[in-house]
Amino acid sequence: MTKAMTSLYVHVPFCLRKCYYCAFYSLSLAEHAGDERDKIREYLTGLEQEIKVRHTEAPTGVSSLFLGGGTPTALNPQELDRLLNFISSRFSFPSTDKDGLFPIEKTVEANPGTITKEKLAVLRHYGINRISLGAQSFNDSQLQIIGRIHTSEDIKLGVELIREAGFANLNLDLMFGLPGQTIEEWQDTVRQAVSLAPEHLSIYGLSLEEETPLGRQYDLSSLSKQEKPPLPDDDQQADMYEWVVSFLETQGYIHYEIANFAQPGFEGRHNLSYWQGKDYLGLGPGAVSCLDAVRTKNVQDVDLYLNKLASGIKPVGEEVESLTREQQISEYVMLGLRTTKGIDIKLFEEKFKINIQDIYGYKLVNYIDRDLLLLNEGWLRINPAYLFVSNSILRDLIL
């Protein structure tokens, strides 16, 4: 049987300035003023070396490309051209997806404060056909509180430039549960986003990580008396989530995954490949790969990443995880149940050579009897009414 194509993720670890909530690995170019272009050139040289070493790990071609970060559009047009030219020259990209219906999906993440006509022209030249724009909020005060570098007007200008450049597939990221945010402010943000007619919307609740500035500011164990806007409580966040699900459905968006909504035909195919348990190759510092049930993560430091490559060593960290059958089943179930369509019971049995009921037994029956899980026409899915609180169900299904 021919090996399936691999999804490709490339990490660009640079931002003009790090957001206060972000726990992803990236470097602030503001902290490297004067030598920021040198840092980027060093990174691109290292990435090219990693691609030379690892492009054979996608032997049958790439099914989707996602350029993430960080902020890929923090690179200037010449740097973007260098990066995309090398990716294009080393990896095989079919002209259409496996069904021969659509061009394969090629996504680039962007920040509204970093978009220019010149950069968009470079992206179009290399076949990028989807932009994921980190809007987060249309409330300027909230954007400042979370450390974004753009304003609501920058979002609108960015969308205008993206459309003028010819992009017909746009995602907007939005966040709820922000400090001081009311449900009315959240509703205004969503309505302004929808007025821009994006084909896709990703909706995330704020998650406070200990190592981030915002996480430290709201650390309950902190003795700081500094006044700060209150965080919406769990009930308020649940109300925000339930409202956005209902509203977006009235606007013609399909709720196809816990946090993702799309106009028909614009579901994010790169992320769907993750949720369906398919292979993916991650390049760049901190990037994760999972190939043939072996998961690796690149070292999460640009200098160490470059040193390993300069020594002719793959920049993979020490943790190499060969997934057991139980881990593969657990992850397949957890990721599959994040989608509103759920898990195809027949496909599950074909993949793992066992019926899902034989694995989970009474636990599965109990969830179905309580209407937390629904079993219809061969598909197992979480009851949509419980999607916002689904983590407890998913954790319970880990083997």
Side-chain angles (χ1 to χ4, degrees):
M1 184 173 67
T2 304
K3 181 177 172 60
M5 290 190 293
T6 303
S7 298
L8 176 61
Y9 173 83
V10 180
H11 190 65
V12 179
F14 300 103
C15 293
L16 296 191
R17 186 185 71 197
K18 287 209 67 163
C19 300
Y20 300 153
Y21 59 85
C22 182
F24 291 109
Y25 177 69
S26 65
L27 301 176
S28 169
L29 293 178
E31 297 177 5
H32 294 273
D35 68 347
E36 67 268 26
R37 302 312 353 149
D38 291 337
K39 292 294 291 185
I40 291 173
R41 277 194 293 273
E42 291 173 5
Y43 153 76
L44 290 175
T45 298
L47 183 63
E48 288 169 359
Q49 182 60 33
E50 184 182 12
I51 291 173
K52 287 179 183 178
V53 172
R54 302 190 66 187
H55 74 277
T56 55
E57 294 178 39
T60 58
V62 172
S63 58
S64 63
L65 169 66
F66 197 103
L67 204 63
T71 309
T73 48
L75 274 57
N76 65 32
Q78 295 73 32
E79 292 158 349
L80 280 171
D81 184 272
R82 176 181 172 182
L83 171 59
L84 289 167
N85 180 58
F86 206 79
I87 292 172
S88 300
S89 67
R90 289 286 175 163
F91 288 100
S92 171
F93 293 92
S95 56
T96 60
D97 68 4
K98 63 181 178 61
D99 298 317
L101 298 176
F102 304 103
I104 72 162
E105 184 183 271
K106 296 182 179 180
T107 302
V108 169
E109 287 187 328
N111 185 301
T114 62
I115 293 175
T116 66
K117 290 181 179 180
E118 294 75 17
K119 293 178 186 181
L120 291 169
V122 172
L123 300 182
R124 288 281 289 170
H125 175 74
Y126 286 99
I128 302 301
N129 51 23
R130 183 173 185 266
I131 301 293
S132 182
L133 193 63
Q136 314 309 359
S137 175
F138 282 79
N139 183 302
D140 288 342
S141 295
Q142 288 165 8
L143 288 171
Q144 283 190 324
I145 286 172
I146 62 175
R148 300 296 289 178
I149 65 169
H150 67 269
T151 66
S152 56
E153 285 304 311
D154 291 331
I155 301 170
K156 297 169 186 175
L157 176 60
V159 171
E160 184 178 333
L161 290 173
I162 288 166
R163 295 307 195 191
E164 288 177 354
F167 290 92
N169 192 351
L170 169 67
N171 170 65
L172 293 182
D173 284 347
L174 302 176
M175 295 180 71
F176 65 93
L178 301 180
Q181 187 180 47
T182 66
I183 191 164
E184 291 79 16
E185 289 169 337
W186 169 236
Q187 291 170 344
D188 180 67
T189 275
V190 174
R191 289 192 174 104
Q192 289 201 56
V194 169
S195 73
L196 298 175
E199 286 71 28
H200 192 283
L201 286 159
S202 295
I203 309 297
Y204 302 108
L206 175 65
S207 176
L208 292 180
E209 305 290 341
E210 291 182 3
E211 68 272 24
T212 65
L214 207 59
R216 290 191 291 270
Q217 184 181 354
Y218 280 88
D219 181 2
L220 296 179
S221 66
S222 172
L223 298 178
S224 171
K225 302 294 185 183
Q226 179 184 2
E227 294 255 343
K228 44 189 179 282
L231 291 169
D233 62 28
D234 291 345
D235 288 340
Q236 290 171 315
Q237 290 196 44
D239 288 343
M240 291 176 178
Y241 180 80
E242 290 169 7
W243 177 84
V244 77
V245 169
S246 176
F247 176 73
L248 290 180
E249 287 177 349
T250 70
Q251 303 302 303
Y253 289 89
I254 298 168
H255 186 198
Y256 72 98
E257 194 268 346
I258 289 176
N260 288 278
F261 304 76
Q263 295 286 353
F266 288 94
E267 295 85 351
R269 281 174 271 159
H270 183 87
N271 284 343
L272 276 171
S273 69
Y274 293 153
W275 301 325
Q276 293 167 354
K278 297 179 180 178
D279 279 2
Y280 53 91
L281 174 63
L283 305 176
V288 176
S289 303
C290 191
L291 302 167
D292 296 322
V294 177
R295 183 158 49 223
T296 58
K297 181 178 181 179
N298 281 359
V299 291
Q300 194 165 288
D301 177 273
V302 168
D303 293 330
L304 182 56
Y305 171 82
L306 295 173
N307 289 340
K308 280 182 171 285
L309 287 163
S311 302
I313 303 170
K314 280 187 183 181
V316 173
E318 294 181 1
E319 294 182 14
V320 177
E321 186 180 14
S322 295
L323 300 181
T324 65
R325 185 167 180 273
E326 288 74 18
Q327 286 175 307
Q328 293 177 57
I329 290 172
S330 296
E331 294 192 6
Y332 188 88
V333 169
M334 289 181 66
L335 293 172
L337 288 179
R338 284 187 60 89
T339 66
T340 56
K341 195 172 184 179
I343 297 169
D344 183 331
I345 299 299
K346 183 178 179 182
L347 186 61
F348 179 94
E349 187 167 352
E350 290 175 358
K351 182 177 179 66
F352 295 108
K353 311 304 179 189
I354 189 171
N355 187 283
I356 194 169
Q357 178 65 59
D358 293 336
I359 298 173
Y360 290 102
Y362 174 74
K363 185 179 291 187
L364 201 61
V365 172
N366 182 41
Y367 280 125
I368 292 172
D369 286 346
R370 293 161 57 199
D371 279 337
L372 297 175
L373 291 178
L374 304 177
L375 182 59
N376 300 110
E377 298 180 352
W379 287 82
L380 179 71
R381 65 191 181 106
I382 292 178
N383 186 329
Y386 297 99
L387 278 172
F388 185 66
V389 292
S390 61
N391 281 345
S392 61
I393 301 172
L394 299 178
R395 284 195 298 267
D396 194 33
L397 295 177
I398 297 174
L399 296 177

